[in-house]
């Protein structure tokens, strides 16, 4: 039986979505079925069908991707809550969008207003890509200091925005900013020793100053959303520290749009707090792979299917 005092639940962000996500869960667990049905009523269209059947292009549209991942994560969390009762993890965290899923799962916001907030976040981020088009790229095999130096150098020589958007794990970073700056940085990172420098198929410069154009509108959405102190501490992306009160949550979610996702430090903080098992609630096992690179001693469990959920629940029998 797993020990809740040494277990953390983690929720993925964009990139984890896939057509078919959740379909087997709703067949196996009433709590999952009711969650997807409730989500369809809230958003006013068959989000469940989009998750289960696609098409890919529509599911990969950020205005749909973000609520889809949020609903998937909460569906799994509700199944666990139904089956395990009072047993809960010691900490939670989420990568980018996943942080909002974690906050809902931790009791910091109700499902319906949280889904509306997530949907608005996706809409605004897509809008930011129109107002301030940008680009992102994954840089593999370099440390943070080297990539930061490249960003600083490119920004200084071009006068254009370029930052580290995601510190995912040792040797896997994502840069974000003006398209010309990203393009200029790619050969320079290879010269500095990167194993690969891969442009991402996006036009939105997530977690960079180019998101500033939507900050005020998103703050308004945050102000209209009711929050409560989380029942389980949530480690935030911006500072890699626990979010323990409503003020910290609002500040974190607003700042997150333009700030780097400090995932490496977040996982390290959880490990220092005594976490030895990380349970990923989402369609794939993206975070489990990153956590393996950050803390090789940690146990990693990906609840990405009905079979995986059943096996996990079986450890509590």
């Amino acid at each position: 039986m797993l020990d809740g005092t040494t277990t953390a639940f983690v929720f993925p962000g964009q990139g984890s979505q896939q057509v078919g996500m959740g379909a087997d869960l709703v067949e196996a667990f009433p709590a999952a079925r009711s969650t997807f049905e409730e989500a369809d009523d809230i958003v006013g269209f068959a989000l469940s069908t989009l998750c289960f059947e696609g098409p890919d292009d529509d599911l990969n549209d950020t205005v749909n991707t973000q609520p889809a991942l949020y609903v998937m994560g909460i569906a799994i969390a509700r199944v666990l809550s139904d089956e395990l009762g009072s047993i809960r993890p010691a900490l939670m965290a989420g990568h980018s969008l996943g942080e909002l899923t974690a906050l809902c799962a931790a009791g910091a916001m109700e499902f319906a207003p949280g889904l509306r907030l997530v949907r608005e976040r996706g809409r605004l981020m897509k809008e930011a890509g129109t107002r301030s088009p940008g680009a992102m790229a994954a840089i593999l095999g370099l440390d943070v200091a080297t990539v930061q130096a490249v960003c600083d150098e490119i920004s200084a020589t071009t006068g254009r925005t370029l930052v580290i958007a995601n510190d995912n794990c040792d040797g896997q970073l994502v840069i974000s900013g003006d398209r010309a700056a990203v393009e200029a940085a790619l050969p320079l990172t290879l010269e500095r020793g990167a194993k690969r420098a891969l442009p991402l198929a996006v036009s939105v410069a997530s977690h960079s100053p180019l998101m500033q154009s939507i900050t005020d509108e998103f703050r308004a959405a945050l102000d209209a959303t009711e929050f409560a102190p989380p029942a389980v501490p949530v480690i935030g992306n911006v500072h890699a520290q626990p979010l323990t009160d409503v003020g910290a949550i609002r500040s974190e979610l607003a700042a997150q749009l333009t700030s780097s996702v400090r995932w490496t430090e977040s996982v390290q903080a959880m490990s220092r707090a005594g976490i030895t098992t990380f349970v990923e609630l989402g369609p794939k096992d993206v975070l489990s792979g990153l956590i393996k690179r950050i803390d090789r001693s940690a146990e990693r469990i990906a609840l990405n299917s009905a079979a995986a959920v059943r096996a996990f629940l079986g450890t509590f029998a």
Side-chain angles (χ1 to χ4, degrees), residues 53-54 64 118 128 154 165 223 225 230 239 274 292 314:
E53 302 176 12
N64 295 322
V118 166
I154 294 296
D223 290 342
T225 304
H239 302 293
K292 181 179 180 180

Side-chain angles (χ1 to χ4, degrees), residues 48-281:
S48 60
T49 301
L50 184 58
C51 292
F52 305 158
E53 302 176 12
D56 277 310
D57 287 348
D58 289 346
L59 182 59
N60 290 334
D61 187 333
T62 188
V63 73
N64 295 322
T65 304
Q66 295 196 30
L69 288 169
Y70 172 87
V71 173
M72 177 72 170
I74 297 304
I76 300 170
R78 284 180 169 179
V79 169
L80 299 183
S81 180
D82 272 6
E83 299 289 337
L84 300 178
S86 62
I87 297 175
R88 63 187 186 188
L91 293 171
M92 295 191 190
H95 189 286
S96 189
L97 172 276
E99 185 170 356
L100 285 88
T101 318
L103 286 166
C104 177
M109 63 180 174
E110 296 294 332
F111 175 71
L115 179 54
R116 295 186 187 99
L117 179 64
V118 166
R119 177 88 168 158
E120 179 68 356
R121 183 180 186 270
R123 186 191 72 78
L124 288 172
M125 289 180 69
K126 184 176 181 178
E127 176 65 20
T130 301
R131 298 178 189 176
S132 305
M136 303 178 75
I139 310 300
L140 307 182
L142 289 182
D143 59 27
V144 172
T146 303
V147 176
Q148 185 61 59
V150 169
C151 289
D152 292 344
E153 184 175 333
I154 294 296
S155 294
T157 56
T158 66
R160 297 178 182 272
T161 297
L162 187 64
V163 299
I164 296 176
N166 300 344
D167 176 3
N168 285 335
C169 66
D170 183 32
Q172 186 183 126
L173 304 170
V174 175
I175 58 175
S176 179
D178 184 272
R179 182 168 296 278
V182 171
E183 291 173 350
L186 297 182
L188 188 55
T189 61
L190 293 171
E191 288 176 16
R192 301 285 168 87
K195 295 178 180 178
R196 300 181 75 185
L198 307 170
L200 302 182
V202 298
S203 60
V204 177
S206 299
H207 302 290
S208 85
L210 270 67
M211 292 287 103
Q212 191 64 46
S213 66
I214 63 167
T215 298
D216 288 346
E217 290 162 275
F218 189 61
R219 282 186 184 276
L222 287 171
D223 290 342
T225 304
E226 185 174 347
F227 291 95
V232 175
V234 175
I235 304 297
N237 289 181
V238 177
H239 302 293
Q241 296 292 327
L243 304 173
T244 57
D245 59 65
V246 171
I249 291 170
R250 292 188 191 277
S251 177
E252 161 81 16
L253 293 181
Q256 195 213 57
L257 290 175
T258 56
S259 301
S260 177
V261 175
R262 295 165 63 177
W263 187 248
T264 297
E265 293 172 81
S266 296
V267 173
Q268 290 171 339
M270 289 186 279
S271 295
R272 288 194 301 271
I275 299 301
T276 58
T277 301
F278 293 86
V279 181
E280 180 175 358
L281 286 70

